[in-house]
Amino acid sequence: MREIQIFLLLTSILVHGEALYWQNRYDLPLHFTCPNRQSISAISSRHDNHREDRLWGLGCKDTFSSEPTCFWSEYANDFDQEFTFQCPKNYVLTGMISYHDNHHEDRRWRFRCCQVHNQCNAVCQWTTYINYFDEPFSWNVPTLNYLVGLGSHHSNHHEDRRWRYLYCTRQSC
């Protein structure tokens, strides 16, 4: 465990002046869950053409005023396939799991969604694709918004994915 912590510290990068730590290693699983009562607020990634995989860095922000109800989705994709995933109505994204396959040079993804019963999503919108194949990216959920879904398509030529995100405001309901 200590070796993993040291690795994460040594593989940190600076994004907008703040340290962000990778939550996975190339070709190894990603298993990330925000702390209790928080949701995903930032996503950064770096692609390696030799390993044909990505490192992932995720950040969280305070979201829920009480204990949320949460669940993990089934896998949202098969290897090399496009997918669109949205949490159910009034849920937000709080975690991501993926594993990499060297034969396909791709990952399969699962997502954790949470809700509290007195908060509803409103004014939702999709980003355009925020990255091109093989390039690093960093994206922050806009202020006063919450991540509720994502979409991605894979290129066998590049052995990489492009990503887009769905975010909403939240209001009392």
Side-chain angles (χ1 to χ4, degrees), residues 40-41 61 85-86 91-93 121-128 130 139-150 164-170:
I40 294 173
S41 64
K61 67 178 177 180
F85 176 85
Q86 288 181 262
Y91 281 73
V92 299
L93 274 164
N121 295 342
V123 192
C124 299
Q125 62 184 17
W126 282 97
T127 66
T128 58
I130 59 144
W139 180 77
N140 293 313
V141 177
T143 305
L144 303 178
N145 288 267
Y146 300 89
L147 183 63
V148 301
L150 38 79
R164 62 191 179 105
Y165 298 101
L166 177 65
Y167 59 93
C168 305
T169 60
R170 300 211 12 111

Side-chain angles (χ1 to χ4, degrees), residues 19-151:
L20 176 70
Y21 302 99
W22 301 122
Q23 269 85 33
N24 70 306
R25 294 173 64 180
Y26 292 116
D27 295 332
L28 294 179
L30 166 71
H31 191 290
F32 177 82
T33 306
C34 286
N36 197 26
R37 297 187 184 187
Q38 293 188 355
S39 66
I40 294 173
S41 64
I43 301 173
S44 293
S45 184
R46 182 172 67 197
H47 185 264
D48 181 278
N49 280 323
H50 175 72
R51 295 179 185 96
E52 296 297 3
D53 193 21
R54 283 186 169 274
L55 296 175
W56 291 92
L58 297 125
C60 300
K61 67 178 177 180
D62 292 338
T63 304
F64 306 104
S65 59
S66 61
E67 192 71 29
T69 301
C70 303
F71 71 91
W72 282 100
S73 72
E74 298 296 322
Y75 283 102
N77 68 305
D78 286 321
F79 295 115
D80 299 335
Q81 292 189 342
E82 183 172 348
F83 72 91
T84 299
F85 176 85
Q86 288 181 262
C87 287
K89 184 179 179 180
N90 301 325
Y91 281 73
V92 299
L93 274 164
T94 63
M96 298 182 181
I97 292 175
S98 70
Y99 71 93
H100 184 264
D101 180 85
N102 283 325
H103 173 74
H104 294 281
E105 296 295 6
D106 193 18
R107 287 180 172 268
R108 290 189 71 201
W109 291 89
R110 295 175 62 200
F111 304 100
R112 186 172 187 253
C113 299
C114 296
Q115 82 160 151
V116 292
H117 298 288
N118 61 347
Q119 290 287 304
C120 293
N121 295 342
V123 192
C124 299
Q125 62 184 17
W126 282 97
T127 66
T128 58
Y129 283 100
I130 59 144
N131 69 302
Y132 290 99
F133 296 114
D134 298 335
E135 75 173 13
F137 68 86
S138 184
W139 180 77
N140 293 313
V141 177
T143 305
L144 303 178
N145 288 267
Y146 300 89
L147 183 63
V148 301
L150 38 79

